[in-house]
Structures are given as structure tokens and as C-alpha cells.
Amino acid sequence: MRVGGPAREFAVARTSDELVSLVRDADASGTPVLLVGGGSNLVVSDEGFDGLVVKVETSGVRVDGDSMWVAAGERWDSVVARSLDDGLAGLEALSGIPGLAGATPVQNVGAYGTVTSDVLESLTVYDRETRETSVWGPERCGFGLHRQSVFKHSTRYVILDTTMRLRRSGASDPVRYAGLADRLAVTIGDTVPAKDVREAVLDLRGQKGMVLDAEDHDTWSVGSFFLNPVLPEIPESASRAPQYPDPSGIKIHAAWLIQNAGFAHGYGTEFGNGTVALSTKHVLAITNRGGATTADVMALASHIRDGVEAEFGITLVPECDLVGCSLA
């Protein structure tokens, strides 16, 4: 989002050993630590971070049969492209997602019918409490609803690398998402060349401002700012919202709630000082129009949350990681 204040200390970790050493030494001295990957899901307070910020820049990709080992600091979309170039399918629907490979298990990142846990075989984790490094299977990650995991909103664990089990094939996984099927002119359940899925996903994400472009302020965001709410029952006022079954209840689109509470694409240019606004392409994205502060972002996010609550009685919750800041 290009907001937030300075770090008291800053270091770059280019190997897993450096990453563990930096975190371990900071813990021993009582210094707070903030790990930063691509920063694509992070909003930091205007005061910054009073501790050590560690930028993860570890590198390395290895392919062995249908397994792909990836260091945490590899750029995720480059990993997807590399897998397809190596004749491996399974990641194509996750194209265009910003951030680094080590962050994908944190939210069990998913898009267009595919989630990280579908392909994750193992990962290497440093435990800051036990000060031990071990290899985990996906069953230890606590993947669950609302993109949950044991890593989300926890500072205990540091992901050092991941290994994914893919398929040696040029054909995609079955297409599961209606909008993607329409773009590919196929029906749900069909398979197509995996690289065709990647191109279609990049196009779809680009139309929503969800592929980073430094010249396009609609992409100066954390993507979807709010989670899609899951409710035991839908209020009558929101009965027209798109609804999907969920093990915890019924999921509805936060974007529908926002738009139908009166917040249109581009809303916000006349709110506050005009430095933040909803994307002109996607109402779930709160964007920095240039010169914004974190306080500006929090003010607009709070205003939108309050408007949705007043209209529908539903409280939206941020999906992004807020560091030293919160909605009013």
C-alpha cells in the first residue's frame, strides 16, 4: 500500500540460516521482530515498527519428479511460471498472486478453485518458542475456514521453505470457477492446457486491479481488504446477496455488501483528504491514490465497515495483517 512508518532496525536474510539466526538473536535480546516478505498483505502504522524488521530474500527452486521445493523468499508468481515451464500442473489457478512463496501457507492462499493446501506436501518451520527447526506435513498447519492456519496472526513460527506435490502434465486441473470457465469458453470440470489457465487468470486478475502495476493506483492495495463474512443466517436486508454454503454457515460476498451499502467503485476521493479510495475496478480493495497515510487507510476502512453494519447489521473484518494499527 506504500504506507507506514520506519523500522528501528532493518536486516535482509538471504539464506535460511541467516533468517533463523537473525530471529533467534533478536528473541534472545528481547527485540520485537517483524518478518516482511513481499508486503502485499501488510498495513503498518504511521509510527512504524519499534524493533527489527527482517526482509526475507532467501532463494532457490528445485524440481524432483513431480515435487517442487521452493525457498520462502522466492516470488510466488515466478514459482507458478517456473512450474508450468517445467511441465508441472497444479498451480496455474494461483497465477498473479503477489507476495512470496513462504507466505502462501499462512493464509492457505487460494484463487479460482485452488488453495495452497491442495498441493502442499511439506514445509520447513523454525519454532521461536522451542528454538527448533523441523519439517511439517500439511496436517500440522491447521488449515481451515476463512483461510486460517496456525501461522496466521501468530509470530511463533517462521516458514523457511515449502515443498509442493504437483502433476507432470501439460493439462490443467479441472476448471472449478464459473468466471474462469466462461473466460476459457469451457464448462465446469473441463481441463485445458495449464498455460491457458494461467493467461486467463492473469487477465481476470488484471481487470480487477489485482496484478501489481506501479503506474496504476488501483493496484496500490492489499487486495481484498475485508473477508467475505460467514453467518449462521442471512439477515433479510442482505437476502439478495450472492450466497454460498460453508461448513460454518452461509458465506456472502463482502463486495456486494459494500456496494449495496452505497460505496461505489472509486468511492473515497471526497472522503477525508482524498488520498485513499476504493479501487475503480473492485470495491473490496482500498487503495492509496498517492500520499496516503495509514491513518487515512484506517479511517476509510472504518467508514466502510460502519456503513455496511448500519445498512445490513453485518460487521466486516479485515483480511490483511495490521501491524500497530486498527480500525477505529
Side-chain angles (χ1 to χ4, degrees):
M1 291 201 81
R2 296 169 172 79
V3 296
R8 174 158 59 89
E9 300 177 53
F10 182 82
V12 177
R14 293 185 171 86
T15 69
S16 292
D17 286 345
E18 286 179 353
L19 178 53
V20 170
S21 179
L22 283 165
V23 173
R24 181 181 289 141
D25 290 349
D27 287 345
S29 66
T31 301
V33 176
L34 173 64
L35 299 180
V36 175
S40 59
N41 201 46
L42 192 65
V43 184
V44 179
S45 72
D46 292 315
E47 290 71 31
F49 187 74
D50 188 19
L52 172 65
V53 173
V54 179
K55 179 73 169 65
V56 181
E57 292 188 2
T58 58
S59 61
V61 178
R62 294 195 302 268
V63 174
D64 181 11
D66 58 2
S67 287
M68 188 176 192
W69 176 92
V70 183
E74 288 285 345
R75 193 167 70 89
W76 175 252
D77 193 55
S78 297
V79 172
V80 177
R82 166 72 184 271
S83 71
L84 295 173
D85 288 342
D86 281 12
L88 294 170
L91 300 181
E92 57 275 1
L94 300 179
S95 294
I97 294 174
L100 306 185
T104 56
V106 176
Q107 292 197 102
N108 195 14
V109 165
Y112 299 103
T114 299
V115 291
T116 302
S117 55
D118 290 341
V119 297
L120 187 65
E121 182 175 47
S122 64
L123 63 169
T124 306
V125 177
Y126 172 65
D127 186 332
R128 295 172 65 185
E129 288 189 8
T130 66
R131 304 182 70 181
E132 295 178 348
T133 298
S134 57
V135 177
W136 290 23
E139 67 281 354
R140 290 187 63 181
C141 297
F143 294 132
L145 306 174
H146 269 46
R147 299 182 179 177
Q148 289 299 321
S149 72
V150 297
F151 311 111
K152 191 171 185 179
H153 305 310
S154 170
T155 60
R156 175 174 175 176
Y157 304 108
V158 181
I159 297 172
L160 305 178
D161 59 61
T162 63
T163 299
M164 293 164 286
R165 177 71 66 180
L166 306 175
R167 292 184 297 104
R168 189 153 290 283
S169 172
S172 71
D173 283 345
V175 177
R176 304 184 182 98
Y177 189 85
L180 181 58
D182 290 344
R183 179 55 55 93
L184 292 164
V186 300
T187 59
I188 298 291
D190 286 350
T191 61
V192 298
K195 289 188 175 182
D196 288 357
V197 170
R198 172 172 170 76
E199 292 306 314
V201 167
L202 289 173
D203 187 40
L204 287 167
R205 290 182 64 85
Q207 289 182 7
K208 297 178 180 179
M210 295 298 175
V211 177
L212 184 62
D213 178 353
E215 302 301 316
D216 182 1
H217 284 274
D218 278 342
T219 73
W220 290 29
S221 76
V222 291
S224 298
F225 193 93
F226 294 105
L227 283 166
N228 291 322
V230 176
L231 306 169
E233 58 182 331
I234 304 300
E236 178 61 29
S237 57
S239 60
R240 294 184 295 109
Q243 302 174 22
Y244 304 92
D246 186 277
S248 291
I250 304 170
K251 180 187 293 186
I252 60 175
H253 280 179
W256 186 94
L257 295 170
I258 291 169
Q259 194 153 8
N260 284 273
F263 303 112
H265 294 84
Y267 178 89
T269 54
E270 297 181 0
F271 175 85
N273 57 16
T275 58
V276 294
L278 297 181
S279 166
T280 66
K281 304 178 180 71
H282 183 29
V283 295
L284 259 182
I286 295 175
T287 66
N288 178 357
R289 309 316 292 186
T293 65
T294 302
D296 296 335
V297 174
M298 294 298 103
L300 180 59
S302 300
H303 175 63
I304 290 168
R305 176 205 58 193
D306 293 347
V308 168
E309 187 168 21
E311 183 71 23
F312 300 108
I314 297 170
T315 303
L316 296 180
V317 177
E319 181 175 351
C320 49
D321 192 3
L322 305 179
V323 177
C325 57
S326 62
L327 275 63

